[in-house]
Amino acid sequence: MGKHGRGGEFSLKFCLASLHSGSAWGRGLSDACAYYLGKKLCKVDRMSDWEQRPLTHRQLAYAALDAYCLVDLTWEITSRLQERQAWTLQSMLTTITSTVATAKQRNAKSRTSRGKGPTTAVK
């Protein structure tokens, strides 16, 4: 199993954990919606009789909203992860570029101070 779920597929649980490892937000879908989407889900019908048929209109609406909010939640979390990844990659590239430039300058100064002059091997 890959870090993104079975076979590398998208995992909402992995995304939530990636964004909030160690944070104090709640653990349920309603809390996740409140945190990411600014809207808390109504959980009034959660404990209703789901064995009874036919389901009531409220139960159907509850089930549909529970499923539908996952789409918005997935888009929001994916967007945040992509922003974080882009920022991290840019930060890493900046650090690497700066480190390489500093190393080249030190190498050039070291060669000059030893009387060897700049070398063409360092570009």
Side-chain angles (χ1 to χ4, degrees):
M1 182 186 302
K3 67 180 181 178
H4 296 288
R6 288 184 223 76
E9 67 204 32
F10 178 81
S11 167
L12 184 62
K13 190 173 185 177
F14 172 79
C15 289
L16 288 169
S18 297
L19 285 171
H20 289 288
S21 51
S23 73
W25 70 282
R27 298 188 188 274
L29 181 59
S30 183
D31 288 335
C33 287
Y35 186 87
Y36 290 106
L37 305 175
K39 300 172 190 165
K40 196 160 183 136
L41 290 177
C42 176
K43 297 303 229 175
V44 172
D45 290 308
R46 181 176 62 131
M47 299 303 287
S48 62
D49 183 4
W50 289 87
E51 297 293 322
Q52 172 193 346
R53 293 294 186 257
L55 295 175
T56 67
H57 288 288
R58 284 180 56 154
Q59 286 173 315
L60 292 172
Y62 171 85
L65 185 59
D66 236 30
Y68 183 78
C69 74
L70 289 173
V71 174
D72 286 344
L73 195 57
T74 300
W75 281 108
E76 179 63 25
I77 292 170
T78 301
S79 173
R80 289 187 188 197
L81 283 172
Q82 288 172 343
E83 288 171 10
R84 179 179 282 183
Q85 182 180 19
W87 176 83
T88 302
L89 289 174
Q90 183 60 42
S91 177
M92 287 171 47
L93 287 172
T94 301
T95 301
I96 291 169
T97 303
S98 174
T99 302
V100 168
T102 301
K104 284 181 181 180
Q105 289 173 351
R106 285 185 186 151
N107 191 11
K109 286 180 183 178
S110 173
R111 290 190 167 280
T112 303
S113 67
R114 290 188 304 210
K116 294 187 177 183
T119 179
T120 56
V122 178
K123 293 187 178 189

